[in-house]
Amino acid sequence: RKEVEQDPGPFNVPEGATVAFNCTYSNSASQSFFWYRQDCRKEPKLLMSVYSSGNEDGRFTAQLNRASQYISLLIRDSKLSDSATYLCVVHNYQLIWGAGTKLIIKP
Amino acid sequence: EPEVTQTPSHQVTQMGQEVILRCVPISNHLYFYWYRQILGQKVEFLVSFYNNEISEKSEIFDDQFSVERPDGSNFTLKIRSTKLEDSAMYFCASSEEGGSNYGYTFGSGTRLTVV
């Protein structure tokens, strides 16, 4: 089983729609969880940390389910500028990266 | 906003040559990292560095690789005798804490092309 697993996509979504990504991780001892965004050939940029209680930042909502070892990211009212690859990242002494889910927002 | 700075942005080198990739982490950060990303693949951890020594390293970080903090600001990755498969984006990152709950700040990367 991969350490961090994501659906690679691409997700083709019309502008304004809501889209959700999921991610599973294998190490139950993982300590911290993040969503990063990566534009083509650019560095990853932290989108948000993920907390057990769930957290929201504007149009973005992240959820963590430790029992199921599952992380989600919800994007509401998607914008063209949301087109990117979304990386699920788990911290356990080092960052373990998923391969990313590619999102394409269409006008 | 504080940045992690990497130079050069693109390096082309011949197979077998040595390269040094340079990074200037954020000044009050204590933990430094190198990651790499082969084109089309996921980001992979190479090494973490704290208190002037390596704290963790991956299987990728073999004897071909070394890191150094030669002064108070720079953090370098040296790759000896480069191979074609070393071609990748190399990202430097830094964080205030090792077990960070706030994520790391990444530099914009050095694209290494080995020919």
Side-chain angles (χ1 to χ4, degrees):
Chain A
R1 183 180 173 186
K2 291 180 186 175
E3 289 188 272
V4 178
E5 200 151 358
Q6 295 182 252
D7 181 340
F11 284 42
N12 290 284
V13 173
E15 193 176 5
T18 296
V19 59
F21 307 133
N22 302 320
C23 165
T24 57
Y25 61 95
S26 60
N27 189 341
S28 59
S30 299
Q31 300 153 353
S32 309
F33 309 88
F34 308 94
W35 283 102
Y36 277 76
R37 169 199 168 121
Q38 187 174 32
D39 294 292
C40 188
R41 295 182 178 243
K42 301 281 191 181
E43 76 274 23
K45 291 189 177 177
L46 179 65
L47 182 64
M48 58 197 302
S49 302
V50 187
Y51 304 119
S52 297
S53 54
N55 49 300
E56 191 172 305
D57 182 2
R59 298 181 293 109
F60 299 85
T61 301
Q63 296 275 355
L64 167 64
N65 184 321
R66 284 190 184 268
S68 302
Q69 294 177 207
Y70 169 98
I71 305 160
S72 65
L73 176 69
L74 183 80
I75 306 175
R76 289 181 298 277
D77 187 23
S78 52
K79 314 286 185 195
L80 295 176
S81 56
D82 294 334
S83 296
T85 296
Y86 290 83
L87 305 170
C88 175
V89 186
V90 172
H91 186 274
N92 187 13
Y93 300 107
Q94 57 183 260
L95 294 182
I96 309 296
W97 298 75
T101 297
K102 187 169 184 177
L103 174 65
I104 301 170
I105 304 298
K106 298 191 167 183
Chain B
E1 189 174 326
E3 288 184 344
V4 173
T5 306
Q6 287 187 245
T7 55
S9 56
H10 192 186
Q11 173 97 41
V12 180
T13 189
Q14 292 216 324
M15 193 168 55
Q17 296 296 304
E18 174 182 287
V19 295
I20 297 176
L21 310 184
R22 292 183 165 78
C23 170
V24 178
I26 293 174
S27 59
N28 66 333
H29 284 187
L30 301 176
Y31 295 82
F32 315 115
Y33 312 87
W34 283 100
Y35 287 81
R36 79 170 186 191
Q37 187 175 31
I38 295 170
L39 187 63
Q41 297 187 23
K42 65 179 182 178
V43 178
E44 299 174 291
F45 169 74
L46 292 178
V47 65
S48 59
F49 192 86
Y50 170 72
N51 200 26
N52 285 318
E53 60 182 27
I54 291 172
S55 47
E56 296 278 339
K57 61 181 181 177
S58 71
E59 293 174 353
I60 302 167
F61 194 88
D62 59 21
D63 292 342
Q64 182 194 8
F65 294 89
S66 62
V67 289
E68 197 177 33
R69 190 156 161 81
D71 52 44
S73 58
N74 289 286
F75 178 51
T76 62
L77 174 69
K78 183 189 289 186
I79 310 174
R80 287 182 282 275
S81 189
T82 49
K83 304 189 282 269
L84 293 176
E85 54 264 37
D86 294 328
S87 295
M89 280 290 286
Y90 288 82
F91 294 109
C92 173
S94 68
S95 66
E96 287 183 72
E97 305 169 13
S100 175
N101 286 315
Y102 302 101
Y104 303 170
T105 301
F106 282 80
S108 56
T110 293
R111 180 170 299 283
L112 177 65
T113 303
V114 182
V115 296

